[in-house]
């Protein structure tokens, strides 16, 4: 039953798709008042059913664990307590406590957003690992927030800033995204309830919802239209989730209130109006639309989300799966004109991956799994600095740029907050299932315990260093099950053996290889994708290309000439120093390659004894996975000569 709770819970909030409620009617362990009406093609697994095995993803997760556990609870809660006027000399008081900086500074409108993200990250990490340390830290933060809410005594209002910021938003005055920050807190508290079984978190977040309903009920349609132009994150999604948990129609009213007609209605007509729109303001709106569609089982929500997804992926995204320039969408297909030092905001990818998981569950279309792999490996995996565990706001596409990382105590950008979640939930999209079939979407070393079927399987791989993956059945009951292995669209061939016997493959790339049998313990399936070098051009310039090996974007190593020493970190005196950073790209940087773009293997050769390392024959430039290039310059997009 514990597994079932986590499964349905995580589905509900978009971490692991929600529709599993219909799959297990009446078995919600008291967590949900409503069932989704939409029947999915596939279901996600509870995050606690998956464990990461040794590999690059687990290394990132362990670094993330060290960071989030090092963050001091008192310092995280300080701005909240300050807003409530809580002072306790026995705790060191206001003057002795070192304050966090950056976007958590007391003079920043977004203060408190990181605490919300952290609540989600801790909950996800607890589900992913079962480590009680994450629950203990979570409980202390939730308890502290409950105290602040009680002392504020403002009908359930809870934040690190006064309600005047909300009033400014309602009045159409300049303010930096107060509902965005509240969304992170609401989402974090919901995660705490669902993943950590924290009843106090549910009580606190319901009071926040009750306050919001009273606050927004008197708003006129004209006021609403103005206030929704201010970024509000995915608070519509969170209120739909709270509605599903409680069944209270006031929360559904709130979710519908945050439907942004100006941005969403054109999608119903198939119009791409993304140009110049703030990308991370736009994407979460579709998560709310998708949740409504799942709950109601009808309407145009799925059609709108699918159109938006296809538009972003096909016309506004780089080879890495990331999008935007200076946080905004640009004119469709004009990629080559936006290869700057401020491309690829990490929060955008975080939200696109969330949307992708919803859409995949609706259809089981392999294109969503292909994209998820592309963005996860080429952006999210490489967002984190292996030396420090700090993360990058942008993934620059400018030739000669480099990654600029956060600091442990003086950044707390939005991408730091979403990073708390990104590296805590790698297991969420590896496996899916239908009634009698298991789907393997990602090749990441991991184990799965499908308790309902009494089926355990282990995946061993060092992909993408090798295209080979081994699946070993650790336990199975006497029943017929299908193992669906993703045959990626990038693959030119595949070899599969079952218990050492070659399997004839009838499927083609961009589908699933289905193996149906009564599985037994120690059954072994080996799958191997020979990976090839390919090039992908920008939509608007066929001679501006990126180089890939399989699904992995390769970048040219360009050294550290004229870079700050040590490798650059953010300036603690500035909020948005990732924008002010001068990359000082050397004028003699090589940006041109003489290669055959149709057959790049003729001009790019693997380096002997070095995994995933190549060298161009004519220029002598070393190419390595972009996710593994840190603290030095690189080139992703090249001009062909």
């Amino acid at each position: 039953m514990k597994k079932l709770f986590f499964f349905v819970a995580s589905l509900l909030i978009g971490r692991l798709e929600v529709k599993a409620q219909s799959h297990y009617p009446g078995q919600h362990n008291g967590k949900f008042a409503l069932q989704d009406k939409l029947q999915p093609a596939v279901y996600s697994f509870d995050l606690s059913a998956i464990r990461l095995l040794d590999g690059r993803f687990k290394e990132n997760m362990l670094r993330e664990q060290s960071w989030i556990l090092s963050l001091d609870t008192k310092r995280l809660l300080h701005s909240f307590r300050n807003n409530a006027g809580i002072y306790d000399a026995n705790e060191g008081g206001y003057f002795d406590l070192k304050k966090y900086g950056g976007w958590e500074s007391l003079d920043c409108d977004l203060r408190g957003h990181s605490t919300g993200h952290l609540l989600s990250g801790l909950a996800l990490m607890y589900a992913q690992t079962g480590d009680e340390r994450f629950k203990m830290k979570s409980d202390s933060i939730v308890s502290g927030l409950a105290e602040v809410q009680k002392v504020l005594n403002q009908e359930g209002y809870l934040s690190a800033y006064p309600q005047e910021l909300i009033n400014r938003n309602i009045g159409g005055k300049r303010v930096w995204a107060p509902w965005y920050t509240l969304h992170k807190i609401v989402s974090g508290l919901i995660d705490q309830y669902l993943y950590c079984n924290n009843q106090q978190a549910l009580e606190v977040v319901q009071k926040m919802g009750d306050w919001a309903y009273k606050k927004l009920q008197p708003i006129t349609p004209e006021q609403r239209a103005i206030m929704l132009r201010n970024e509000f994150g995915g608070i519509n999604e969170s209120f739909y989730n709270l509605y599903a948990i409680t069944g209270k129609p006031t929360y559904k009213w709130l979710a519908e209130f945050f439907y942004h007609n100006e941005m969403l209605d054109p999608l119903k007509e198939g119009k791409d109006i993304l140009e110049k729109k703030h990308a991370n303001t736009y994407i979460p709106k579709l998560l709310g639309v998708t949740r409504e569609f799942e709950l109601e089982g009808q309407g145009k929500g799925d059609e709108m989300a699918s159109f938006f997804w296809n538009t972003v992926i096909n016309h506004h995204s780089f080879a890495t799966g990331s999008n935007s320039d200076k946080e905004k969408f640009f004119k469709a297909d004009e990629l080559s004109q936006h290869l700057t030092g401020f491309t690829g905001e990490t929060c955008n990818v975080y939200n696109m991956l969330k949307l992708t998981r919803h859409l995949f569950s609706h259809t089981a279309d392999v294109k969503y799994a292909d994209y998820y792999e592309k963005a996860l490996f080429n952006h999210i995996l490489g967002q984190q600095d292996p030396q420090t565990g700090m993360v990058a706001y942008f993934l620059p596409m400018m030739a000669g740029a480099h990654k600029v990382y956060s600091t442990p105590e003086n950044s707390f950008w939005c991408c730091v907050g979403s990073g708390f979640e990104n590296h805590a939930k790698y297991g969420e999209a590896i496996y899916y299932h239908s009634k009698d079939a298991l789907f393997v979407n990602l090749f990441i070393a991991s184990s799965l315990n499908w308790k309902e079927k009494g089926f355990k399987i282990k995946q061993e791989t060092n992909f993408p260093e090798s295209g080979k993956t081994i699946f070993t059945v650790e336990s199975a009951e006497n029943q017929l099950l299908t193992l669906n292995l993703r045959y990626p669209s990038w693959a030119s061939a595949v070899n599969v053996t079952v218990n050492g016997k070659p399997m004839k493959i009838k499927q083609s790339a961009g589908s699933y290889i289905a193996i149906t049998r009564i599985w037994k313990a120690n059954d072994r399936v080996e799958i191997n994708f020979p990976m090839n070098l390919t090039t992908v051009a920008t939509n608007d310039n066929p001679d501006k290309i990126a180089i890939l090996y399989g699904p992995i974007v390769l970048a040219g190593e360009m050294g550290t000439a004229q870079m700050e020493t040590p490798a650059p970190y953010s300036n603690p005196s500035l909020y948005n120093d990732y924008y002010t950073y001068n990359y000082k790209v050397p004028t003699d940087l090589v940006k041109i390659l003489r290669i055959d773009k149709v057959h790049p293997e003729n001009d790019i050769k693997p380096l002997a004894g070095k995994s995933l390392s190549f060298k161009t024959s004519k220029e002598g430039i070393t190419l390595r996975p972009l996710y593994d290039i840190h603290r030095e310059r690189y080139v992703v997009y090249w001009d062909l000569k």
Side-chain angles (χ1 to χ4, degrees):
M1 188 64 78
K2 180 180 179 183
K3 187 267 181 188
L4 178 59
F5 151 61
F6 278 122
F7 173 43
V8 180
S10 53
L11 294 182
L12 178 62
I13 60 174
R15 313 291 186 190
L16 307 168
E17 297 305 331
V18 203
K19 285 77 57 190
Q21 295 175 84
S22 299
H23 190 56
Y24 298 103
Q27 300 182 44
H28 302 155
N29 202 22
K31 297 294 176 183
F32 302 98
L34 304 175
Q35 295 182 12
D36 284 13
K37 294 179 181 178
L38 178 68
Q39 294 292 326
V42 293
Y43 302 102
S44 295
F45 283 96
D46 163 27
L47 193 56
S48 68
I50 297 105
R51 292 290 182 259
L52 297 186
L53 302 179
D54 290 346
R56 186 70 163 75
F57 285 94
K58 187 174 181 179
E59 291 169 4
N60 269 27
M61 185 182 72
L62 292 174
R63 282 187 286 266
E64 178 69 22
Q65 290 178 5
S66 297
W67 187 14
I68 63 178
L69 287 174
S70 72
L71 293 170
D72 185 81
T73 300
K74 291 180 182 178
R75 295 172 70 185
L76 287 166
L77 291 173
H78 174 70
S79 55
F80 290 88
R81 292 169 64 84
N82 177 271
N83 185 41
I86 300 174
Y87 177 88
D88 189 343
N90 294 326
E91 295 183 1
Y94 177 89
F95 297 103
D96 297 332
L97 188 68
K98 184 179 179 182
K99 286 79 175 174
Y100 282 131
W103 288 16
E104 287 301 328
S105 300
L106 286 174
D107 61 345
C108 179
D109 288 357
L110 293 186
R111 59 191 180 274
H113 78 109
S114 300
T115 299
H117 270 301
L118 186 63
L119 285 174
S120 292
L122 289 166
L124 291 162
M125 198 70 82
Y126 176 62
Q128 180 76 89
T129 66
D131 190 330
E132 290 290 332
R133 292 179 300 168
F134 303 110
K135 187 178 187 310
M136 290 175 62
K137 190 176 185 70
S138 299
D139 289 347
S140 65
I141 296 173
V142 171
S143 177
L145 291 176
E147 179 192 13
V148 169
Q149 187 180 55
K150 181 179 179 180
V151 173
L152 279 172
N153 193 26
Q154 296 177 17
E155 299 184 295
Y157 177 73
L158 170 63
S159 183
Y161 50 76
Q163 283 200 57
E164 181 55 28
L165 296 193
I166 301 293
N167 297 336
R168 291 184 64 82
N169 171 234
I170 293 173
K173 300 178 181 178
R174 186 176 179 85
V175 64
W176 194 6
W179 288 101
Y180 169 93
T181 302
L182 289 184
H183 162 240
K184 305 310 174 187
I185 299 169
V186 167
S187 181
L189 288 167
I190 291 175
D191 284 358
Q192 283 295 313
Y193 171 64
L194 295 176
Y195 287 103
C196 298
N197 201 26
N198 190 316
Q199 186 66 36
Q200 186 178 42
L202 180 61
E203 294 169 0
V204 171
V205 76
Q206 285 191 89
K207 291 176 182 177
M208 292 181 71
D210 295 342
W211 161 82
Y213 180 73
K214 292 179 182 178
K215 188 78 173 179
L216 296 177
Q217 268 285 300
I219 302 301
T220 67
E222 293 75 20
Q223 287 176 308
R224 173 181 170 274
I226 293 173
M227 68 171 283
L228 291 187
R229 292 175 182 172
N230 187 281
E231 185 177 9
F232 53 80
I235 200 165
N236 49 353
E237 175 201 11
S238 291
F239 281 134
Y240 275 124
N241 293 334
L242 193 57
Y243 165 60
I245 291 170
T246 65
K248 293 181 64 173
T250 52
Y251 304 144
K252 181 182 180 182
W253 183 91
L254 283 167
E256 293 172 343
F257 178 92
F258 282 97
Y259 176 91
H260 193 185
N261 300 76
E262 182 180 346
M263 302 285 269
L264 295 173
D265 285 348
L267 301 179
K268 295 179 181 178
E269 303 173 18
K271 294 181 179 179
D272 177 357
I273 63 165
L274 273 60
E275 184 183 2
K276 297 182 180 180
K277 302 296 191 302
H278 187 259
N280 199 48
T281 297
Y282 213 138
I283 301 169
K285 300 178 194 296
L286 277 301
L287 292 170
V289 167
T290 300
R291 281 300 296 123
E292 180 187 25
F293 177 74
E294 291 165 349
L295 282 165
E296 301 298 329
Q298 60 185 2
K300 290 192 174 183
D302 196 49
E303 180 182 333
M304 294 163 61
S306 297
F307 171 76
F308 177 85
W309 188 92
N310 283 299
T311 299
V312 172
I313 301 308
N314 296 325
H315 302 287
H316 296 270
S317 295
F318 302 105
T320 55
S322 53
N323 60 67
S324 76
D325 181 13
K326 286 192 175 180
E327 304 189 24
K328 294 184 177 181
F329 289 121
F330 41 78
K331 188 174 182 179
D333 297 317
E334 290 190 350
L335 275 70
S336 70
Q337 301 177 44
H338 291 273
L339 303 177
T340 75
F342 313 106
T343 51
E345 182 185 357
T346 301
C347 280
N348 296 351
V349 180
Y350 157 83
N351 277 310
M352 284 300 295
L353 290 180
K354 289 181 67 176
L355 182 59
T356 300
R357 285 175 45 73
H358 281 278
L359 295 175
F360 176 75
S361 77
H362 299 176
T363 63
D365 190 328
V366 75
K367 73 178 182 181
Y368 296 116
D370 282 343
Y371 169 74
Y372 200 103
E373 176 185 66
K374 175 195 292 187
L376 183 69
F377 277 84
N378 293 309
H379 189 121
I380 299 299
L381 183 63
Q383 178 206 18
Q384 186 192 85
D385 174 25
Q387 290 192 33
T388 64
M390 297 299 102
V391 297
Y393 195 113
F394 292 125
L395 184 60
M397 292 293 105
M398 181 174 70
H402 50 76
K403 298 169 186 175
V404 179
Y405 310 109
S406 60
T407 58
E409 299 185 354
N410 289 298
S411 299
F412 293 106
W413 311 317
C414 55
C415 298
V416 171
S418 58
F420 291 152
E421 301 178 46
N422 286 333
H423 308 293
K425 61 188 181 95
Y426 287 133
E428 71 171 4
I430 302 174
Y431 308 100
Y432 294 81
H433 74 89
S434 59
K435 182 179 179 181
D436 295 309
L438 174 66
F439 291 74
V440 179
N441 273 9
L442 299 175
F443 304 108
I444 295 176
S446 56
S447 63
L448 168 69
N449 183 2
W450 189 358
K451 290 184 180 180
E452 289 76 17
K453 294 293 184 180
F455 187 77
K456 295 182 180 179
I457 192 168
K458 178 171 64 174
Q459 178 182 174
E460 298 173 281
T461 184
N462 63 351
F463 181 87
E465 294 183 22
S466 166
K468 181 179 179 180
T469 300
I470 299 172
F471 297 93
T472 304
V473 176
E474 297 185 309
S475 66
E477 297 181 357
N478 188 28
Q479 58 187 322
L480 200 67
L481 288 177
T482 298
L483 178 63
N484 289 308
L485 303 175
R486 183 171 67 95
Y487 190 168
S489 299
W490 51 261
S492 59
V494 64
N495 300 305
V496 180
T497 64
V498 181
N499 293 330
K501 296 180 180 180
M503 177 179 171
K504 186 176 180 180
I505 306 301
K506 299 179 181 179
Q507 296 87 350
S508 57
S511 64
Y512 285 93
I513 299 168
I515 308 173
T516 303
R517 58 188 286 135
I518 296 176
W519 298 92
K520 298 179 181 179
N522 299 317
D523 278 347
R524 179 183 173 102
V525 177
E526 294 187 19
I527 186 167
N528 188 19
F529 301 105
M531 290 192 282
N532 304 307
L533 289 165
T534 58
T535 63
V536 57
T538 56
N539 296 19
D540 56 331
N541 185 348
D543 291 325
K544 178 79 74 172
I545 59 101
I547 301 168
L548 281 71
Y549 183 65
I552 305 303
V553 173
L554 301 177
E557 291 183 331
M558 290 295 157
T560 59
Q562 299 182 35
M563 281 177 60
E564 295 179 3
T565 303
Y569 281 80
S570 60
N571 184 340
S573 67
L574 299 172
Y575 288 152
N576 301 328
D577 42 321
Y578 45 83
Y579 269 140
T580 64
Y581 191 81
N582 185 349
Y583 290 97
K584 300 178 181 177
V585 178
T587 56
D588 59 350
L589 185 90
V590 177
K591 306 175 186 177
I592 300 173
L593 291 183
R594 292 168 290 172
I595 65 171
D596 182 343
K597 67 179 178 180
V598 178
H599 296 287
E601 69 278 4
N602 294 336
D603 303 295
I604 301 173
K605 303 299 180 181
L607 287 174
K610 293 187 177 181
S611 176
L612 292 177
S613 295
F614 304 82
K615 182 166 285 190
T616 61
S617 300
K618 298 181 177 68
E619 296 81 12
I621 293 173
T622 298
L623 301 172
R624 294 177 55 237
L626 177 59
Y627 68 71
D628 256 347
I629 296 182
H630 293 274
R631 296 169 173 260
E632 66 176 303
R633 301 185 187 279
Y634 57 78
V635 175
V636 172
Y637 280 97
W638 306 87
D639 291 312
L640 291 181
K641 186 174 181 180

